[in-house]
Amino acid sequence: MQFEVTHRDAGSQARAGRLRLPHGVVETPIFMPVGTQASVKALSSEDLRAIHAQIILANAYHLYLRPGVDVLELAGGVHRFMQWDRPVLTDSGGFQIFSLAELNKITEEGAAFQSHIDGSRHFFTPEKDIDIQIGIGADIIMCFDECTEYPAPFDRAEKSMRMTLKWAERCKRHWLGRAAADQALFGIVQGSTHESLRRECAAALVDMDFPGYAIGGVSVGESKAEMAEATGWCTEILPGDKPRYLMGVGTPEDLLAGIELGVDMFDCVMPTRNARNGSLFTSAGRVNIKNAKHVRDFGPLDPACRCPVCQTYSRAYLSHLFRSGEILALRLNTLHNLFFMLELSAQVREAVRDNRFGAFKQSFLQSYAGREDE
Amino acid sequence: MQFEVTHRDAGSQARAGRLRLPHGVVETPIFMPVGTQASVKALSSEDLRAIHAQIILANAYHLYLRPGVDVLELAGGVHRFMQWDRPVLTDSGGFQIFSLAELNKITEEGAAFQSHIDGSRHFFTPEKDIDIQIGIGADIIMCFDECTEYPAPFDRAEKSMRMTLKWAERCKRHWLGRAAADQALFGIVQGSTHESLRRECAAALVDMDFPGYAIGGVSVGESKAEMAEATGWCTEILPGDKPRYLMGVGTPEDLLAGIELGVDMFDCVMPTRNARNGSLFTSAGRVNIKNAKHVRDFGPLDPACRCPVCQTYSRAYLSHLFRSGEILALRLNTLHNLFFMLELSAQVREAVRDNRFGAFKQSFLQSYAGREDE
């Protein structure tokens, strides 16, 4: 993996860059669609190419349980399995073990849990998690960490952060031992909303020297102000020549806030989940396609949008599909919302290259704050 | 509408033809995918073009209730509403009124029913139904009829058939009165499993002189032998120079049986519904993609198939998507099953042109009867 910051915005910490990975180049800042189970919900790999997705996420916990790492290895890796030839990042699955699975016991050695699918028992150590992710074959893999819940008192957050640091060291050592692996390993900063913990964790990870760094434990219930604060503490310390990834974030507004603080990469299920619930992004704000006023609106969802959906179908048809419970509604809505996030990323990159990120952000938010329907 | 039989098979009543409609030419025999609510479940109009669908169905009952005929008229018709520029056939919705809605009262005047969506009360006459279908704007519209249930004793079937005939006359008269309409109106033969009733109904409809004829009241629970018998009684009487449509049929085997008896058009929800349940057609028989043996099968679903799914994805991936409940499974499975039916139609047309329908049918069934999984 190679990362290069090609432009720095004059009026903020926003930057534009290029991330070279085994399966291609990713231009940053970038939004990464979430394909938890080796499928971005409702879309095919061809759909993802059509909306210019550059890198997608998959999840080690989910893929380990189903179809299993052996199946992915036999397939020749997740890329060949899902016929997606561009970069993939796998999340370690730590978050899912602590939220989705039935967690039986967590010690410094690792986490014992039962599958949410069939109740089967499993034990993940940092080393095993790295092996799983290498088996899946993504371009970027993540350290096994504990995503600290919110709110977390200082003592609890400190204890959790220190374990995440110990796990990060073990992940790094194990990853180094698998020298043939193509994967770039990212460390994850925890520390909840506590400044000294965030700074200490970031500094310790930088000392370990990872190819890239993520900020975890955000977007877990804290306020926007708290999220921005925590992000800022981290980006102040994380090295400027390494990619920075804000995990599980976020809305169009969150993306801009993170980019302003120097973040390069984002992922979130919100654009796809909202799409499936009929909540759609437009340049003039969010549209609730269930709203009765769209039933007879034969214009495009967003006249300013160049996505395949806005180029082809009317609000009236999207409204009809959603109200009728048609499966096609899920796909068209998802195509549109993801295109919106990817197009926003592209516009930000251009603004940063032109030294006008601040003006772009202001103009975007002014229009977007219209929030047409909500 | 113009219909031309271009080839007649030497060894059977199978024929190949060409149906010219306002939105394009349909080559017969043809399978018509069902898009009840102006959407073939899980597919976009672009998907339908990619698998070479020539004509699709929509349903007057469903579209009348939602989004409403006024919306479709404002949109410029169902074609523009769903961005499908090839032919559309609407079913009258009679079948849905008698099966899906809460039927309040049926008299010779018409049918009073309550919407299955919101319980609202409606009254359809043959005249109103024709107006609805003209408003929707399909290329082919169907007479409002009563689909006689199975089994039906002679007296009940006779009474029902005679009402269908009276309704057909009123439909024809009303349709003639709307001379500007582009729609071709098909009469529907009822009469259940009773030979004299089927023959009488077919002859009476032929006397009324419709642009095309459908055989209704089949595939409603009767045996394959009974269906073939009823179909044969009708095709013996229906004029050779008009298109014949066997409604709600069917499986690949049913298609071949109907074509052998001189049927030109077919529709059925089975290929799409089966797809959504993981039951897939292949040249070697049906495959249940849920079957454990597919989890590690990295070959295509059907090596002989040229559909976009078999050209791209493996059985292992299709199996994973289905087992994981991914929405993409519904779309890929549907694409494949419909392609299979459309490709079968194309192969039959070629066989008829080459005077080898019988040999084709035998060879297809021999291979297909393998029924790999079931």
Side-chain angles (χ1 to χ4, degrees):
Chain A
M1 189 193 90
Q2 284 186 312
F3 181 62
E4 185 191 358
V5 174
T6 53
H7 296 83
R8 288 177 200 275
D9 181 58
S12 73
Q13 296 171 68
R15 67 237 204 113
R18 209 172 282 126
L19 191 58
R20 286 176 204 281
L21 294 162
H23 290 87
V25 174
V26 173
E27 293 183 280
T28 62
I30 189 68
F31 179 80
M32 306 183 284
V34 180
T36 305
Q37 301 187 114
S39 170
V40 173
K41 293 207 183 304
L43 300 192
S44 68
S45 297
E46 203 182 328
D47 288 333
L48 290 167
R49 283 187 286 270
I51 55 170
H52 313 301
Q54 295 191 32
I55 174 172
I56 63 171
L57 250 73
N59 188 280
Y61 166 80
H62 283 278
L63 293 181
Y64 161 84
L65 291 178
R66 189 173 54 199
V69 179
D70 61 323
V71 171
L72 286 162
E73 284 175 336
L74 284 169
V78 67
H79 294 86
R80 287 185 64 181
F81 186 59
M82 64 183 294
Q83 291 293 312
W84 168 252
D85 56 4
R86 298 182 187 174
V88 173
L89 179 154
T90 40
D91 185 23
S92 70
F95 181 75
Q96 282 67 32
I97 289 175
F98 300 121
S99 60
L100 189 58
E102 192 173 336
L103 186 64
N104 291 329
K105 201 178 173 190
I106 177 166
T107 63
E108 214 177 281
E109 175 55 17
F113 62 92
Q114 285 178 258
S115 157
H116 72 289
I117 301 171
D118 63 4
S120 55
R121 289 169 186 279
H122 305 271
F123 188 70
F124 270 22
T125 61
E127 292 80 9
K128 178 166 179 179
D129 194 273
I130 294 299
D131 285 338
I132 289 167
Q133 292 189 74
I134 291 175
I136 292 169
D139 299 74
I140 298 175
I141 64 177
M142 304 301 297
C143 281
F144 189 57
D145 71 330
E146 187 181 55
C147 177
T148 314
E149 69 286 355
Y150 176 88
F154 189 90
D155 286 0
R156 156 69 193 143
E158 181 181 21
K159 202 177 148 203
S160 171
M161 180 272 277
R162 293 204 192 291
M163 190 174 73
T164 282
L165 276 181
K166 282 184 187 158
W167 283 1
E169 263 194 270
R170 285 166 58 189
C171 285
K172 174 88 195 292
R173 197 178 319 126
H174 193 72
W175 170 73
L176 281 177
R178 296 203 50 179
D182 255 351
Q183 284 68 34
L185 176 65
F186 278 31
I188 304 175
V189 185
Q190 292 290 344
S192 187
T193 49
H194 307 288
E195 180 171 359
S196 64
L197 298 180
R198 283 283 180 186
R199 289 187 186 276
E200 181 187 339
C201 188
L205 289 169
V206 174
D207 280 347
M208 292 182 210
D209 189 22
F210 285 93
Y213 299 91
I215 301 164
V218 287
S219 202
V220 289
E222 79 281 16
S223 70
K224 298 281 180 193
E226 286 175 305
M227 182 163 80
E229 228 179 10
T231 304
W233 296 328
C234 297
T235 54
E236 267 181 38
I237 288 170
L238 296 174
D241 59 348
K242 297 283 175 73
R244 300 157 176 168
Y245 162 28
L246 192 59
M247 301 181 82
V249 174
T251 65
E253 298 96 321
D254 291 343
L255 215 72
L256 293 172
I259 290 168
E260 191 163 27
L261 292 165
V263 173
D264 308 297
M265 302 158 73
F266 301 84
D267 82 283
C268 192
V269 296
M270 190 272 304
T272 38
R273 184 176 290 162
N274 277 13
R276 299 196 302 280
N277 292 325
S279 176
L280 305 177
F281 305 140
T282 79
S283 52
R286 286 201 204 177
V287 163
N288 183 343
I289 201 65
K290 293 184 288 286
N291 195 311
K293 73 179 179 188
H294 306 306
V295 170
R296 283 168 183 75
D297 184 341
F298 299 99
L301 172 61
D302 185 352
C305 176
R306 298 173 299 156
C307 88
V309 180
C310 289
Q311 296 297 313
T312 308
Y313 298 103
S314 66
R315 284 191 181 200
Y317 189 57
L318 294 179
S319 148
H320 170 67
L321 291 176
F322 194 85
R323 286 166 167 252
S324 304
E326 284 291 347
I327 298 162
L328 181 59
L330 308 177
R331 174 161 168 249
L332 297 185
N333 292 354
T334 301
L335 277 170
H336 172 81
N337 269 6
L338 283 181
F339 184 93
F340 186 89
M341 297 302 285
L342 292 163
E343 181 67 14
L344 175 59
S345 308
Q347 287 169 346
V348 164
R349 291 194 297 270
E350 215 175 293
V352 170
R353 287 178 198 134
D354 296 348
N355 264 328
R356 52 174 178 81
F357 173 78
F360 171 80
K361 182 186 169 198
Q362 194 180 10
S363 139
F364 174 87
L365 290 179
Q366 215 152 36
S367 169
Y368 187 75
R371 293 184 165 270
E372 200 181 311
D373 276 2
E374 283 172 7
Chain B
M1 187 192 91
Q2 285 187 312
F3 180 63
E4 186 191 358
V5 174
T6 53
H7 296 84
R8 288 176 200 278
D9 181 59
S12 73
Q13 296 172 67
R15 69 240 202 111
R18 208 172 284 127
L19 192 57
R20 287 176 204 281
L21 293 163
H23 290 87
V25 174
V26 173
E27 293 182 279
T28 63
I30 189 69
F31 179 81
M32 307 183 284
V34 179
T36 305
Q37 303 187 112
S39 170
V40 173
K41 293 206 182 306
L43 300 193
S44 68
S45 297
E46 203 182 328
D47 287 334
L48 289 167
R49 282 187 286 272
I51 57 171
H52 313 300
Q54 297 192 29
I55 174 172
I56 62 169
L57 251 72
N59 188 281
Y61 166 81
H62 283 277
L63 294 181
Y64 161 84
L65 291 178
R66 189 172 53 199
V69 178
D70 61 322
V71 170
L72 287 162
E73 283 175 336
L74 285 168
V78 67
H79 295 86
R80 287 185 63 182
F81 186 59
M82 64 183 293
Q83 292 293 312
W84 168 251
D85 56 4
R86 298 182 187 174
V88 173
L89 180 154
T90 41
D91 187 21
S92 70
F95 181 75
Q96 283 67 32
I97 290 176
F98 300 121
S99 60
L100 190 59
E102 192 173 334
L103 186 64
N104 291 329
K105 201 178 172 189
I106 177 166
T107 62
E108 214 176 282
E109 175 56 17
F113 62 92
Q114 285 179 259
S115 157
H116 72 289
I117 300 170
D118 62 5
S120 55
R121 290 170 186 280
H122 305 270
F123 188 69
F124 271 22
T125 61
E127 292 80 9
K128 178 168 177 177
D129 195 273
I130 294 298
D131 285 337
I132 289 168
Q133 292 188 73
I134 291 175
I136 293 170
D139 298 74
I140 298 175
I141 64 178
M142 304 300 296
C143 282
F144 189 57
D145 70 330
E146 187 181 55
C147 177
T148 313
E149 71 284 355
Y150 175 88
F154 188 90
D155 286 359
R156 155 69 193 145
E158 182 182 22
K159 202 178 148 206
S160 170
M161 180 272 277
R162 292 204 192 289
M163 191 175 72
T164 282
L165 276 182
K166 282 183 188 157
W167 283 2
E169 263 195 270
R170 287 166 58 190
C171 286
K172 174 87 194 292
R173 197 179 319 126
H174 193 72
W175 170 73
L176 281 177
R178 296 202 50 178
D182 255 352
Q183 285 66 35
L185 176 64
F186 278 31
I188 305 175
V189 185
Q190 292 290 344
S192 187
T193 48
H194 306 287
E195 180 171 359
S196 65
L197 298 179
R198 284 282 180 187
R199 289 186 185 275
E200 182 187 339
C201 188
L205 290 168
V206 173
D207 279 347
M208 293 181 212
D209 189 22
F210 285 93
Y213 300 90
I215 301 162
V218 288
S219 202
V220 288
E222 80 281 16
S223 70
K224 299 279 181 194
E226 285 174 306
M227 181 162 81
E229 228 179 9
T231 303
W233 296 328
C234 298
T235 54
E236 267 181 39
I237 289 171
L238 296 173
D241 59 349
K242 297 284 174 73
R244 299 159 177 167
Y245 161 28
L246 192 59
M247 301 182 80
V249 173
T251 65
E253 298 96 321
D254 291 342
L255 214 72
L256 293 172
I259 289 167
E260 191 163 28
L261 292 165
V263 174
D264 308 299
M265 304 158 70
F266 301 85
D267 82 283
C268 191
V269 296
M270 189 272 303
T272 38
R273 183 174 292 161
N274 276 13
R276 299 197 302 281
N277 292 325
S279 175
L280 304 177
F281 304 140
T282 79
S283 52
R286 286 203 205 176
V287 163
N288 183 344
I289 201 65
K290 294 184 287 287
N291 195 311
K293 74 178 177 188
H294 306 306
V295 171
R296 283 169 183 73
D297 184 341
F298 299 99
L301 172 60
D302 184 352
C305 177
R306 299 173 299 157
C307 88
V309 180
C310 289
Q311 295 297 312
T312 308
Y313 298 104
S314 65
R315 284 192 180 200
Y317 189 57
L318 294 178
S319 148
H320 170 67
L321 291 176
F322 194 86
R323 286 168 168 250
S324 303
E326 284 290 346
I327 298 162
L328 181 59
L330 308 178
R331 174 160 169 251
L332 297 185
N333 292 354
T334 301
L335 277 170
H336 172 81
N337 269 7
L338 282 182
F339 183 93
F340 187 89
M341 297 302 285
L342 291 163
E343 180 68 13
L344 175 59
S345 307
Q347 287 169 347
V348 164
R349 290 194 298 269
E350 213 175 294
V352 169
R353 287 179 199 133
D354 297 349
N355 264 327
R356 52 173 179 80
F357 172 80
F360 171 80
K361 183 186 168 198
Q362 192 180 13
S363 140
F364 174 88
L365 291 179
Q366 214 152 38
S367 170
Y368 187 76
R371 296 186 163 269
E372 200 181 309
D373 275 4
E374 284 170 6

